[in-house]
Amino acid sequence: MTATGSDRASAPTRVLVLNSGSSSVKYQLLDMADGARLATGLVERIGERSSLLRHTPAAGDARTREAPVADHGAALEAAAAELAADGLGLDSPRLAAVGHRVVHGGRRFTEPTRVDDDVLAEIERLVPLAPLHNPANLTGIRTARALNPRLPQVAVFDTAFHTTVPEHAARYAIDVATADEHRVRRYGFHGTSHAYVSRRTAELLGRDPSEVNVIVLHLGNGASASAVRGGVCVETSMGLTPLEGLVMGTRSGDVDPAVILHLSRVAGMSVDDIDTLLNKRSGLVGLCGDNDMREIRRRVDEGDEAAALAFDVYAHRLRKYVGAYYAVLGHVDAIAFTAGVGENSAPVREAATAGLAGLGIEVDPVRNAARAAVPRLISPEGSRVAVAVVPTDEELEIARQTFALVDEG
Ligand code: AMP
């Protein structure tokens, strides 16, 4: 049935975006009629003795509460109570849906998906591929459902944007039967950010996403690169897990897989020891003891050799990926830097593109040093490849995808 004009006028347009992480829940309430952010919030240190809830309504002062929050269910109930206190509760008739960030959607979930029992069961089946994240995401969905069973719940998957990566790029060159039995292949992550940033980059160039090839460098504490051809992702740097690829804050990125065998055989480390080493004690922190790029640059400027080496390893890996993705795409219209490091660190952007003028990739030092919170070009006028800084907004993208799904249904 088609909605009439007056139905449309009163149709709900708000979306609550929930990001249930391993020890925190972040939320944002957005109005898709005008993109306004009505409230944001965060519950941290869930399950610890003193959890912290910080709720910031658009109209009014931020409220902070410190009290034990036992689990993700209790965290979400506390967040819902804060929203309700501002007249923005989960029972509001203006709320159209809840959009949930779900880390792993495997091969099945190629699009945002309305949650039903079958979808929940499938997300559960994917837990072995994301043992820290998918259980927390599931609890978020189940709790939100219980708080208002009539409200549509939509799952937006970190992996979905990468399901278009062709088989020859998604396969590891290992025995096919073993790989298939255990679902070992490259899935990629940060997909919501790569989707949003590649589209915004096309907009910045004044072109349709279907006409442009973009290399997106999402450089936050976690970091990943993707090659996007005409709006479709064809390669990405994270793999079976978010450990592969670029050097990150605490993760190694690419290593010879035999490093693991060597450490097991020669150093007697257990699988869990090596897991902790590669995920928590590697990357920038492993190389120099710090994972904050601001602190690393400060140390480099003071002549600290370990920090300088960490920076050079980080930048070298980035340049290698830019070169590789140039070859994957054949023709590149733009390179977009995003996330905490990508948006804020001019030295990283300069080093990641240094020496690539032969490929048409150049950065203008004055434009690169300028600061702004909006998408902007940092390449010189008339440059063959546009180099851009494009702030990411995963919550807005989750809300947009969620609303598009429930609005059409
Ligand atoms: P994200 O995961 O996107 O929130 O990014 C977090 C990381 O961004 C931090 O660990 C810092 O390394 C980096 N970062 C944040 N602000 C700045 C800044 N002003 N300059 C350089 N790096 C920054």
Side-chain angles (χ1 to χ4, degrees):
M1 196 169 73
T2 317
T4 65
S6 60
D7 285 342
R8 301 298 294 173
S10 60
T13 52
R14 293 178 179 170
V15 176
L16 178 64
V17 176
L18 278 185
N19 182 352
S20 305
S22 49
S23 67
S24 70
V25 171
K26 291 186 205 144
Y27 59 93
Q28 288 198 7
L29 181 67
L30 293 107
D31 195 328
M32 298 320 288
D34 55 7
R37 236 163 274 246
L38 303 174
T40 64
L42 167 69
V43 189
E44 281 180 301
R45 306 200 296 260
I46 295 170
E48 293 181 30
R49 212 171 302 154
S50 85
S51 313
L52 186 75
L53 183 147
R54 190 174 171 78
H55 177 84
T56 312
D61 294 330
R63 303 192 289 272
T64 304
R65 293 185 208 291
E66 240 176 289
V69 176
D71 52 31
H72 284 74
L76 199 45
E77 281 168 19
E82 293 297 333
L83 287 163
D86 293 329
L88 304 170
L90 264 70
D91 54 355
S92 161
R94 301 180 71 177
L95 189 59
V98 182
H100 298 266
R101 177 184 182 211
V102 179
V103 165
H104 218 306
R107 298 186 73 182
R108 156 136 177 221
F109 295 113
T110 59
E111 302 275 347
T113 305
R114 195 154 168 168
V115 173
D116 57 21
D117 289 340
D118 171 51
V119 168
L120 280 176
E122 184 64 18
I123 297 173
E124 183 99 57
R125 220 174 62 78
L126 293 164
V127 163
L129 291 174
L132 290 180
H133 293 100
N134 271 29
N137 303 155
L138 274 169
T139 311
I141 299 174
R142 290 196 175 111
T143 311
R145 244 186 155 191
L147 288 170
N148 182 351
R150 286 189 309 281
L151 197 58
Q153 311 284 329
V154 174
V156 178
F157 298 90
D158 258 23
T159 45
F161 186 60
H162 305 304
T163 52
T164 48
V165 168
E167 194 63 9
H168 59 257
R171 278 269 170 202
Y172 292 111
I174 62 172
D175 172 64
V176 167
T178 307
D180 287 351
E181 185 183 348
H182 300 286
R183 294 180 283 177
V184 174
R185 60 187 283 113
R186 307 186 59 250
Y187 295 97
F189 300 89
H190 291 148
T192 309
S193 177
H194 286 282
Y196 176 82
V197 170
S198 55
R199 203 179 60 246
R200 294 284 285 155
T201 305
E203 282 169 22
L204 179 66
L205 302 183
R207 296 170 68 185
D208 193 83
S210 64
E211 295 171 357
V212 292
N213 291 356
V214 186
I215 297 174
V216 178
L217 301 172
H218 176 112
L219 312 177
N221 205 24
S224 60
S226 68
V228 182
R229 175 181 288 132
V232 175
C233 185
V234 294
E235 175 62 291
T236 193
S237 61
M238 285 178 166
L240 173 73
T241 75
L243 184 55
E244 190 177 341
L246 301 175
V247 176
M248 310 184 209
T250 66
R251 287 173 240 160
S252 61
D254 297 333
V255 292
D256 180 344
V259 167
I260 297 159
L261 313 179
H262 180 78
L263 291 174
S264 168
R265 290 182 186 133
V266 175
M269 291 174 74
S270 69
V271 167
D272 286 344
D273 291 340
I274 300 171
D275 189 336
T276 305
L277 173 79
L278 295 178
N279 276 296
K280 303 222 164 85
R281 295 200 292 122
S282 294
L284 294 169
V285 109
L287 287 163
C288 75
D290 271 308
N291 64 340
D292 191 313
M293 192 52 81
R294 286 164 286 202
E295 182 59 15
I296 291 169
R297 284 308 307 176
R298 196 192 56 74
R299 286 172 54 187
V300 171
D301 291 343
E302 283 179 353
D304 184 317
E305 285 183 14
L309 178 64
F311 185 86
D312 289 348
V313 173
Y314 185 94
H316 173 72
R317 184 81 52 88
L318 267 172
R319 275 196 306 276
K320 270 207 317 196
Y321 268 86
V322 169
Y325 286 8
Y326 204 112
V328 166
L329 289 169
H331 168 85
V332 176
D333 296 290
I335 297 175
F337 286 90
T338 195
V341 177
E343 290 167 30
N344 294 299
S345 179
V348 165
R349 295 190 297 257
E350 185 192 328
T353 50
L356 302 182
L359 297 177
I361 301 168
E362 284 176 275
V363 161
D364 176 275
V366 176
R367 288 182 168 186
N368 190 29
R371 299 185 67 84
V374 291
R376 65 188 195 280
L377 289 175
I378 58 169
S379 42
E381 206 62 51
S383 196
R384 214 171 354 126
V385 177
V387 183
V389 179
V390 179
T392 193
D393 193 336
E394 288 167 278
E395 288 77 16
L396 178 61
E397 180 65 14
I398 291 172
R400 194 187 69 83
Q401 293 190 14
T402 298
F403 189 65
L405 186 68
V406 297
D407 197 41
E408 76 187 16

